[in-house]
Amino acid sequence: MEETISLQELFGVIKKRLIMIISITVLATVIAGVISYLFLTPIYQSSTQLLVNQKETKDSSIYQNNQVQTNVQLINTYNVIIKSQAILDEVIKQLNLDYSVAELTNKITVASETNSQVFTVSVQDKDPEQAQAITNTIANVFQEQIKKIMSVNNVTVLAKAELGDNPSPIKPNKKLNVAIGFAVGLMLSVGIAFLLEFLDNTVKTEKQLEELLELPILGVISEVSQGNVEPKLKKFKLRKGA
């Protein structure tokens, strides 16, 4: 026999397990909040902007008539060079960092807009002051080293990394994590509620008994306990056939 469940029955299951649903949801939200606020290390980001000039030099034929396209290609090359060992080794040396080149590379992000001569170098670190120092040092070292690497002098630091009075971490996003914990807890608790209802094979209503045995209910006999006029237990009387 094909079983169907109505919207009223769905809400009935939720209402029946409401305390469990609320408890699991609150627990998941609290756990997400505790982990986000107490255990996850805040990560700060510092950024600087570098400008690639359009000026052509006598010692280089890298610029062509189509300057916009040339600059875009040049910036793509600079994006690779700025994260190379030639640049980062010098940065580590100047700042006396306890990072390898690979570890420092993972902290650096280089981004540029389409058809733009400006690209942005961002560094993430758990120490906001160190993030700022690394960012500015990378810009200065790159500006000096690119003259030797590509024999051009066309990079200008457009905006240095600045450290505000009260820097805010970019991650973790504590409010978002709490919201995710709430959503996960709610979905998990509702899923458990319906799973428990599905696994519960006890008969509690006349309708369930009628559907289970495929027999019509002729009447209901109420058992009344002594001193109580309210029915205590329902007994069902069934008859085979119509």
Side-chain angles (χ1 to χ4, degrees):
M1 181 178 63
E2 185 179 356
E3 296 184 359
T4 59
I5 184 168
S6 65
L7 188 62
Q8 184 178 6
E9 290 174 323
L10 291 177
F11 281 111
V13 173
I14 294 176
K15 183 178 180 181
K16 177 181 176 182
R17 311 279 183 177
L18 186 59
I19 296 179
M20 182 198 71
I21 292 174
I22 293 176
S23 300
I24 294 178
T25 302
V26 171
L27 180 62
T29 304
V30 170
I31 291 175
V34 170
I35 292 176
S36 298
Y37 283 89
L38 299 181
F39 292 98
L40 295 182
T41 302
I43 301 297
Y44 298 85
Q45 179 172 287
S46 185
S47 301
T48 184
Q49 289 183 318
L50 301 177
L51 172 66
V52 179
N53 299 325
Q54 290 185 342
K55 180 178 62 176
E56 184 177 353
T57 64
K58 296 180 180 179
D59 299 330
S60 176
S61 59
I62 195 170
Y63 290 105
Q64 307 298 327
N65 292 330
N66 190 344
Q67 292 180 339
V68 173
Q69 185 62 31
T70 300
N71 286 326
V72 171
Q73 295 174 354
L74 190 60
I75 288 177
N76 291 335
T77 302
Y78 285 176
N79 290 350
V80 177
I81 295 176
I82 205 168
K83 298 174 72 174
S84 66
Q85 186 171 356
I87 304 298
L88 299 186
D89 271 340
E90 183 64 23
V91 173
I92 293 173
K93 179 181 178 181
Q94 289 189 15
L95 295 178
N96 194 24
L97 297 175
D98 190 21
Y99 293 138
S100 65
V101 171
E103 290 173 335
L104 185 56
T105 301
N106 292 332
K107 295 176 176 290
I108 302 171
T109 303
V110 183
S112 59
E113 298 293 334
T114 305
N115 296 332
S116 173
Q117 294 175 249
V118 178
F119 65 101
T120 303
V121 180
S122 301
V123 176
Q124 296 183 2
D125 195 271
K126 60 184 179 180
D127 184 350
E129 293 183 357
Q130 182 162 279
Q132 180 200 21
I134 293 174
T135 304
N136 288 328
T137 305
I138 288 175
N140 295 333
V141 170
F142 176 74
Q143 187 180 22
E144 293 298 322
Q145 293 296 323
I146 200 65
K147 300 175 185 178
K148 303 175 182 178
I149 296 173
M150 297 191 68
S151 299
V152 293
N153 184 16
N154 62 348
V155 176
T156 304
V157 178
L158 190 62
K160 291 185 177 181
E162 299 290 343
L163 184 64
D165 295 334
N166 188 22
S168 300
I170 62 167
K171 57 183 180 181
N173 190 331
K174 300 174 182 178
K175 293 182 180 179
L176 178 60
N177 289 347
V178 171
I180 292 175
F182 173 82
V184 171
L186 182 61
M187 291 187 293
L188 180 64
S189 59
V190 171
I192 293 175
F194 282 102
L195 178 62
L196 292 176
E197 189 69 19
F198 175 77
L199 296 177
D200 186 4
N201 57 5
T202 59
V203 178
K204 298 180 177 63
T205 65
E206 298 93 326
K207 182 179 179 181
Q208 290 178 338
L209 185 61
E210 187 176 8
E211 291 177 350
L212 178 64
L213 299 178
E214 299 183 3
L215 296 174
I217 295 178
L218 300 181
V220 178
I221 302 175
S222 299
E223 180 179 331
V224 181
S225 60
Q226 186 175 4
N228 186 3
V229 296
E230 294 295 330
K232 180 180 179 183
L233 177 65
K234 293 183 178 180
K235 295 182 179 180
F236 310 117
K237 184 177 181 182
L238 307 173
R239 187 180 68 181
K240 185 69 175 176

